[in-house]
Amino acid sequence: MKYISTRGQAPALGFEDVMLAGLASDGGLYIPESLPHFSAEEVSQLVELDYPDLAVEIMRPFVADFLEEEKLQVIVHDTYKVFRHKAVAPLTQLDTNEWVMELFHGPTLAFKDFALQLLGRLLDEALERRGEKAVILGATSGDTGSAAIEGCRACEHVDIFIMHPHKRVSEVQRRQMTTVLADNVHNIAVEGTFDDCQALVKASFADQSFLKGERRLVAVNSINWARIMAQVVYYFHAALSLGAPEKEVSFSVPTGNFGDIFAGYIARKMGLPIKQLIVATNRNDILHRFFADNSYAKEQLAPTLSPSMDIMVSSNFERLLFDVHDRDGQQLAAVMKAFDETGSISVDEARWQAVKQLFTSNRSSDEEVVSTIKQVSDECSGYLLDPHTAIGVKAARVCHSDKSVPIVTLATAHPVKFPESVVRAGLSEPELPLWLADLHERPELYTVLSDDKAEVHRFIQEKLGL
Ligand SMILES: *Cc1c(COP(=O)(O)O)cnc(C)c1O
């Protein structure tokens, strides 16, 4: 399978190069030239598979020129063995035809583990074969950093450096990163904001001379195609459990960078009968404004109770816009240039109407998040939603158009990660799962550095012995 850039200028690459590259050289995002398609009969043959075997079947066509099937089997089984629920992504019923899919049974209690546990292993395999070593450098406001660290802690060919804003991430989130005491894991607390951390990452990718040509710099942010690919699997898993291919299923997805929901869109294009995809946002609602008013326009960031969805622009949305513009890279490059220059775009009315056949959207305020958590707890004998998931459940309840079709909300995090919302709902604080119960006693290791590129680079050089 070849992957092409959404901006039409970068060379087409295979899976391995796409995984290592992250962003395409023309500034676009990689996307498969064509997708594998499963007929209804082929979909029905997947029904009996457990999660890892299903993952192998769904992902095999995407990685075929990189991994032979036996190797893929081993890697995928290793990946999903670390999840703490036998079903990996279990469904919990809230009401007639209404479900949540719990994606928080991985090591960091959020859905990002599904992709990053796999990506760490795939990267290590690629680097082993090439005889190379890589440096992963990332910035995090919480979930991504811990999931990336957990995904790479066992990698032999990767050192990971994660910067978080000093004293500006939650206690649980910080500890999930800083208590991983592995030789290749390096936590940096930057005296600055999340944006400062991101700027340091960006500047480091632009000038990699500090690595002296000895290491490759790799990004594992949500635009990496391997992450989208891993997320396609759980849409199949849920739909198969609820009657696909005979029955259609709809999904509501708490969305920030449009990565998770884009995987649902890909699943549908691969033949899964998905009726509706509901884009659920918080106050940082650029995506909701696109689907409601055909206005994709950058606005000021507003902090919310659902910090993992606090974004100004959605980095993966470009992949959908590529299809909206008939997969014409040249046209899309012009659209993205206009967006960079003006901070705002809208699309042709007929194209917009077409995309709205599938996508609907809804926005929640913090107050609505709290009341949804309370409502579901009351209705379902104390079942707790995290604030991101609550945004999804509320959107599902508002937008679900055909009640005969089951609706599944993606539960993207465990409520214990974001206790403030639960407490505001007047409920008692959720407890850490047993295997994490001593998190607050575990020793931590991190280094505080000032918001200074040279200082960060010196730190990295020292750790790598460069
Ligand atoms: C990252 C994250 C999201 C948003 O996912 P996207 O792929 O960026 O849309 C939602 N909820 C939680 C808990 C997250 O960590």
Side-chain angles (χ1 to χ4, degrees):
M1 180 181 292
K2 281 286 175 209
Y3 293 80
I4 56 173
S5 165
T6 51
R7 300 200 189 173
Q9 297 297 311
L13 299 177
F15 178 83
E16 184 179 346
D17 290 319
V18 165
M19 171 174 71
L20 291 167
L23 209 62
S25 58
D26 57 5
L29 308 183
Y30 277 109
I31 192 102
E33 195 167 36
S34 66
L35 287 170
H37 191 270
F38 292 74
S39 67
E41 201 194 328
E42 287 165 333
V43 172
S44 67
Q45 282 163 3
L46 303 170
V47 171
E48 289 159 30
L49 302 181
D50 65 7
Y51 195 93
D53 285 337
L54 176 67
V56 169
E57 289 305 312
I58 301 298
M59 296 194 292
R60 190 171 48 178
F62 293 100
V63 301
D65 59 2
F66 167 54
L67 280 184
E68 53 200 56
E69 178 155 358
E70 290 89 90
K71 191 76 201 178
L72 178 65
Q73 288 264 4
V74 171
I75 290 179
V76 166
H77 279 262
D78 269 4
T79 299
Y80 295 106
K81 222 164 40 200
V82 303
F83 284 61
R84 307 280 168 154
H85 195 295
K86 197 151 184 254
V88 183
L91 291 170
T92 293
Q93 187 162 14
L94 298 186
D95 199 349
T96 309
N97 259 348
E98 186 193 17
W99 311 77
V100 293
M101 173 161 49
E102 296 181 348
L103 300 176
F104 51 70
H105 296 284
T108 71
L109 310 177
F111 87 94
K112 291 186 173 73
D113 289 327
F114 277 81
L116 286 164
Q117 283 293 318
L118 181 71
L119 181 56
R121 289 168 169 84
L122 293 176
L123 273 176
D124 218 32
E125 170 71 18
L127 293 164
E128 159 97 29
R129 285 199 220 157
R130 290 170 173 242
E132 287 181 24
K133 290 207 163 222
V135 170
I136 290 175
L137 181 61
T140 190
S141 53
D143 285 347
T144 307
S146 56
I149 286 172
E150 282 289 348
C152 293
R153 65 187 292 173
C155 292
E156 291 180 24
H157 307 278
V158 176
D159 274 273
I160 180 164
F161 294 82
I162 296 292
M163 296 188 264
H164 68 265
H166 188 37
K167 299 194 171 151
R168 291 179 202 224
V169 299
S170 80
E171 169 95 10
V172 169
Q173 287 186 320
R174 187 191 72 242
R175 286 185 162 275
Q176 283 190 313
M177 298 190 278
T178 58
T179 58
V180 178
L181 306 180
D183 288 344
N184 65 335
V185 172
H186 314 281
N187 279 287
I188 304 173
V190 172
E191 289 176 317
T193 63
F194 171 60
D195 287 336
D196 295 330
C197 297
Q198 256 186 329
L200 285 167
V201 171
K202 218 171 160 185
S204 305
F205 272 86
D207 177 9
Q208 305 184 12
S209 58
F210 68 104
L211 293 173
K212 303 187 174 163
E214 294 195 21
R215 294 283 192 115
R216 171 198 282 277
L217 203 56
V218 173
V220 296
N221 51 16
S222 76
I223 56 112
N224 195 305
W225 171 260
R227 288 183 60 177
I228 309 273
M229 173 187 77
Q231 292 166 186
V232 172
V233 177
Y234 47 68
Y235 286 90
F236 273 87
H237 187 68
L240 286 163
S241 303
L242 295 173
E246 285 79 19
K247 275 209 206 149
E248 294 186 291
V249 182
S250 292
F251 290 92
S252 174
V253 187
T255 309
N257 277 318
F258 206 71
D260 207 3
I261 193 162
F262 187 73
Y265 171 78
I266 293 289
R268 185 171 185 271
K269 295 218 312 180
M270 289 170 67
L272 195 67
I274 295 179
K275 174 132 186 164
Q276 264 189 300
L277 284 171
I278 300 167
V279 175
T281 78
N282 64 21
R283 262 179 66 195
N284 298 294
D285 61 346
I286 184 167
L287 289 167
H288 173 62
R289 283 179 281 118
F290 175 77
F291 290 106
D293 307 323
N294 192 4
S295 164
Y296 189 74
K298 210 163 151 174
E299 278 185 4
Q300 209 62 37
L301 196 70
T304 68
L305 288 174
S306 45
S308 301
M309 289 158 57
D310 288 347
I311 48 89
M312 284 197 291
V313 299
S314 287
S315 48
N316 276 291
F317 192 56
E318 179 167 344
R319 289 188 158 116
L320 183 69
L321 285 175
F322 182 60
D323 278 10
V324 167
H325 292 90
D326 307 323
R327 300 173 66 85
D328 177 344
Q330 226 169 354
Q331 216 188 116
L332 189 68
V335 169
M336 295 315 293
K337 184 157 175 275
F339 181 70
D340 280 345
E341 285 165 6
T342 65
S344 158
I345 48 169
S346 54
V347 305
D348 176 83
E349 174 75 17
R351 296 177 196 269
W352 181 65
Q353 291 295 352
V355 84
K356 277 160 53 84
Q357 298 293 310
L358 173 62
F359 289 98
T360 323
S361 70
N362 182 261
R363 168 187 58 217
S364 291
S365 65
D366 280 351
E367 292 70 33
E368 289 168 321
V369 166
V370 170
S371 64
T372 303
I373 291 172
K374 176 80 171 88
Q375 186 189 18
V376 168
S377 170
D378 289 348
E379 292 170 356
C380 305
S381 75
Y383 187 74
L384 288 181
L385 303 177
D386 103 290
H388 306 82
T389 309
I391 289 169
V393 167
K394 187 219 145 195
R397 290 180 172 187
V398 173
C399 299
H400 189 198
S401 60
D402 179 349
K403 303 288 186 224
S404 71
V405 174
I407 177 103
V408 179
T409 296
L410 272 50
T412 52
H414 191 291
V416 77
K417 289 194 89 165
F418 303 97
E420 188 186 344
S421 304
V422 176
V423 172
R424 276 211 215 172
L427 303 165
S428 46
E429 212 173 297
E431 289 189 10
L432 283 165
L434 268 184
W435 54 273
L436 257 186
D438 65 341
L439 184 68
H440 293 279
E441 281 83 57
R442 294 183 190 172
E444 288 187 84
L445 183 62
Y446 61 98
T447 306
V448 182
L449 297 178
S450 56
D451 172 21
D452 175 54
K453 191 175 80 169
E455 194 175 326
V456 170
H457 288 180
R458 263 198 308 278
F459 176 80
I460 294 173
Q461 287 170 335
E462 187 190 314
K463 290 292 170 195
L464 299 177
L466 294 179

